Each structure stands twice: as C-alpha cells, then as structure tokens.
Amino acid sequence: MTGTLFVVATPIGNLADLSARAIETLRAVALIACEDTRTSRTLLAHFGIATPTMALHQHNERAAAAKVIGVLREGKHAALISDAGTPALADPGAWLVAEAHRAGIAVRAIPGPNAAAAAVSAAGFAASRFLFAGFLPASAAARRKALPALDLPYPVAIYEAPHRVRETLADLAGHFGAEREVVIARELTKKFEEVSRLPLGNATAWLDERREREQGEFVLVLAPGEERSASTLDAERVLDVLLEALAPSEAAKLAARITGVPKSELYRRALERSK
Ligand code: SAM
C-alpha cells in the first residue's frame, strides 16, 4: 500500500486561516514538502507541528519530487505546501502531483486560501466564471502584447509584484480605457488590507494618495468587458496582428476584407489600439 499525497493550502497572510483539517493533516503526515522550509517553519511552529520538512521549489522540483515519491511508496503519507496559499497555483508543486498520479499514488487536496479566489469574491463582478491570468510577463513590451487576450466578457484576476503594479495599471488603462473598472486587492487578510474598486483612469491617483499603497502583495481584478460575437473577436485578433506591421487605415482595410466585419468599426478600434 502506498501513502497519500495531501496538497494543503496555507494562509496568504492571516495564520488563523489555516483550516482545522490542514493542521490535522500536517501533524499526521511523515513528511512535508515546502517551497521554502524557513518560511514554513513560522507557520508550523505557530501550530506546534513538528513534522519533518524538506524543500521542494522550482530549482530542485524533480529531484525533490523523486524523494517524496520514495516516501509515499514506503506507505507513508506526505503533504505539499507552498509559501502561501494553494500549492501549484502560481507556485511550485505541479510536477510532484503529476508524478504521484503517474505512480498510482492517491492525491487529496486540502483546500483553503487562494489570493485570486479571495480577490474575485470581494470584487463583486457578477459572472459565473473568471480567468486566472497569474502573473503577466515582466517586460513592458511582452506585457502589452498579452493584454488583448484579456479582453473577456468575465473578470480577469492578475497577480502583480509591488514594483510593477503602477506600470501594469497604466498599461491596463491604456488598453482597456479609463472607464473600465478594476478591483485592487492589496495585502488580503493582513493588517493593511485594502480592497478598492475604481475606474482604471483613477488607479494612478489611487496609488499616489498614499505612498505605502505601492507596497505589499496585489491581485488586480479587471472588470468584464462587453460580450462580443465570435466574428468580432476573430476580426480583432486579425487586426491586432496587422497593426504590428501596418498603419491603422491599412490594417483596418485588410482586416475588413479578411473577416467581413465593417471597415469603419475596425478603423475605430485600430485608432484606439495605436493610441
Ligand atoms: N499560491 C498562491 C495563491 O494561492 O494565491 C499565490 C502565490 S504567487 C507566488 C504570489 C502572488 O499571489 C503575489 O505576488 C500576489 O500577487 C498574490 N498574493 C499572495 N498573497 C496575497 C495577499 N495576501 N494579498 C494580495 N495578493 C496576494
């Protein structure tokens, strides 16, 4: 009999968010694979959990996973945690989980905190789904290129680092327009937590209002865009590609010929895009 791999969500700030089942599981397993053993020590010590730990992060994931699988094959149970929130969501761990499945080892999730889910739930955009976009590319050019794919008729949750949040909010305003709303969820569950819903055009002023607002951890939830037909979406994709090489009028003319969407509509959009 092999053991079970428990994928355990841990707090994203407030230690009281560790569930009773998570505590019980972390106490009961033979080994805890942690993204960073030093970070997790604080959490484990707080709950008096003395289970042995080992590091499993993006630089040693395969070798570390093999060791955990070895323990599971001996019939012992193991847990996977990350520094904060749900493992394998913008965090290491997916390789170990996949290896466990490949080895026929039972995998169980102990669900709990996740920054994206918390931010979307506190954003108040009525929608039956959302896109978890994770972190956008770090370079400005690549980030801007990624934005057209985020124009969706449902909310988009974006993780962002504090040193890039100003630039990303400005890029979002440039691409989606000043009127589109955003929810800035900062330091969720922590002492200086803020959840503010505002038009993208006011985001820079919001940051400027208090210097400390540019510090901490952020989730940005972009409000849903308009529902658009498949043909309009295709035409916009074609237009975006053509705009990489052509002037707005040329790009709109060719996109209209390729897709059948009226040229005037595409020209208006091309002008917005090239602002
Ligand atoms: N696995 C984690 C989860 O389930 O949310 C995410 C880990 S990812 C490496 C870290 C990013 O999550 C941060 O840069 C930030 O964007 C977001 N995040 C984590 N904790 C947060 C918090 N307390 N408030 C706002 N955002 C947070």
Side-chain angles (χ1 to χ4, degrees):
M1 277 287 282
T2 54
T4 297
L5 174 65
F6 294 94
V7 183
V8 182
T10 60
I12 56 169
N14 190 325
L15 293 187
D17 289 339
L18 190 68
S19 74
R21 208 155 75 89
I23 297 170
E24 194 185 306
T25 304
L26 293 173
R27 279 211 183 107
V29 294
L31 176 68
I32 305 172
C34 310
E35 181 179 1
D36 184 331
T37 51
R38 287 160 305 176
T39 306
S40 295
R41 198 166 296 145
T42 313
L43 175 80
L44 299 175
H46 181 85
F47 291 97
I49 297 166
T51 307
T53 59
M54 65 169 280
L56 184 147
H57 45 69
Q58 56 176 349
H59 304 294
N60 77 345
E61 195 166 18
R62 295 196 174 200
K67 283 188 193 150
V68 179
I69 297 291
V71 169
L72 290 159
R73 281 192 198 280
E74 287 169 17
K76 296 176 192 155
H77 301 310
L80 167 70
I81 61 175
S82 61
D83 284 354
T86 302
L89 274 179
D91 265 343
W95 177 262
L96 168 61
V97 176
E99 283 289 275
H101 285 299
R102 278 192 277 271
I105 289 163
V107 178
R108 297 288 178 267
I110 308 287
N114 168 248
V120 172
S121 69
F125 297 126
S128 53
R129 57 184 167 151
F130 74 95
L131 174 76
F132 171 53
F135 289 97
L136 298 183
S139 92
R143 186 171 56 241
R144 284 174 202 150
K145 225 170 167 181
L147 296 182
L150 305 184
D151 200 1
L152 298 167
Y154 41 86
V156 177
I158 300 166
Y159 283 172
E160 195 47 283
H163 61 279
R164 273 196 295 268
V165 76
R166 178 179 287 273
E167 219 181 313
T168 296
L169 283 165
D171 284 349
L172 291 173
H175 186 83
F176 297 103
E179 316 273 281
R180 178 82 72 96
E181 282 191 309
V182 69
V183 167
I184 305 176
R186 175 177 170 264
E187 293 287 88
L188 288 164
T189 77
K190 301 188 205 175
K191 188 171 175 194
F192 297 108
E193 174 171 15
E194 285 187 278
V195 181
S196 300
R197 179 164 160 168
L198 57 153
L200 277 166
N202 296 358
T204 301
W206 185 88
L207 288 173
D208 289 340
E209 236 169 71
R210 281 195 250 134
R211 281 188 72 143
E212 67 274 15
R213 279 194 168 153
E214 226 163 317
Q215 290 160 15
E217 298 197 276
F218 290 88
V219 183
L220 308 176
V221 186
L222 180 67
E226 282 166 30
E227 193 82 52
R228 293 199 306 280
S229 69
S231 66
T232 308
L233 284 174
D234 286 345
E236 286 171 5
R237 274 190 208 113
V238 169
L239 182 67
D240 284 337
V241 173
L242 292 174
L243 276 171
E244 287 176 18
L246 299 173
S249 63
E250 275 299 295
K253 192 166 81 186
L254 286 179
R257 274 178 59 194
I258 295 167
T259 65
V261 171
K263 186 185 151 198
S264 55
E265 201 180 301
L266 293 171
Y267 182 57
R268 191 170 31 79
R269 192 167 176 94
L271 288 179
E272 274 169 24
R273 282 277 197 268
S274 33
K275 258 184 213 162

